[in-house]
Amino acid sequence: MNSATALRIPRRVVTGISNGKSVFISDGPAPNAHIYESVPGHLTSVLYATSAKSCLPQPHTEQAPPQILVTPEPGETKLMIVVFPPDSVFATVDPAAAFEEQAVHIPGLIQAFEPDAPGMHTTDTVDYDIVLDGEVWLELDDGAETLLKQGDVVVQCGTRHAWRNKSDKPATMCFVLIGAERES
């Protein structure tokens, strides 16, 4: 993928309850999605967020506005869709420009990435990670890797890791981040 114009902002449909009846609250492009100028073919989107003690009905206000802190506190959740371009694209970007742009659009998460180990990061979360399209390698801190393909699911339990797209096509993943408390 050479052009960011080929990326599609995820459609998000949110339902709710109004006057005791099920209703559509919103249906359209995710309002918190960003196609990166500094990393061609890269997209991040935070689609929804819940509090540590969610209640029903959910408020009819935007739950994942642009620039929301991505890393959830214990019990909170964040739902994300990420399109990873091939690693060959990441190898050509200006790291400072990419960090600056990502700091605006995925605050909290980008700060978890290690400047001296590109792609490696750790968050205080239990994540459900689903490969929606393409293939991606999951690398752990000891260099162990496993190839994941469409439909594969990873349960990431607060480990230091990186996602590597060694193919020549984009990979799309869905992430459900659940905030956890790390014990010493």
Side-chain angles (χ1 to χ4, degrees):
M1 174 177 294
N2 295 331
S3 171
T5 59
L7 289 172
R8 179 178 141 326
I9 301 294
R11 175 184 175 199
R12 183 192 68 176
V13 177
V14 179
T15 66
I17 301 169
S18 183
N19 298 322
K21 294 190 69 140
S22 300
V23 296
F24 291 106
I25 303 300
S26 65
D27 181 348
N32 185 350
H34 184 73
I35 297 171
Y36 290 84
E37 289 182 30
S38 61
V39 185
H42 186 39
L43 173 140
T44 60
S45 178
V46 181
L47 290 125
Y48 205 75
T50 63
S51 66
K53 189 171 181 176
S54 293
C55 61
L56 296 174
Q58 285 277 285
H60 292 199
T61 57
E62 178 55 54
Q63 297 301 300
Q67 300 178 3
I68 188 174
L69 186 67
V70 175
T71 46
E73 292 295 318
E76 294 178 343
T77 70
K78 300 288 171 46
L79 171 64
M80 294 184 71
I81 300 283
V82 177
V83 177
F84 294 98
D87 283 358
S88 59
V89 171
F90 277 107
T92 65
V93 303
D94 173 2
F99 180 85
E100 184 176 319
E101 190 174 6
Q102 290 168 327
V104 171
H105 299 285
I106 50 172
L109 181 58
I110 194 59
Q111 287 80 5
F113 283 78
E114 301 171 20
D116 297 335
M120 294 301 285
H121 61 289
T122 308
T123 56
D124 292 341
T125 58
V126 173
D127 304 339
Y128 305 149
D129 310 329
I130 306 154
V131 181
L132 300 176
D133 190 46
E135 62 181 50
V136 66
W137 289 83
L138 172 58
E139 178 184 341
L140 301 181
D141 61 6
D142 65 356
E145 295 180 312
T146 192
L147 175 62
L148 304 161
K149 296 183 178 187
Q150 184 177 14
D152 290 344
V153 177
V154 173
V155 178
Q156 183 75 256
C157 297
T159 58
R160 181 176 178 258
H161 66 283
W163 300 102
R164 309 283 186 208
N165 182 352
K166 298 179 183 184
S167 77
D168 61 354
K169 297 178 181 154
T172 304
M173 294 189 68
C174 176
F175 298 93
V176 177
L177 290 74
I178 305 163
E181 203 168 308
R182 190 175 295 272
E183 294 181 3
S184 308

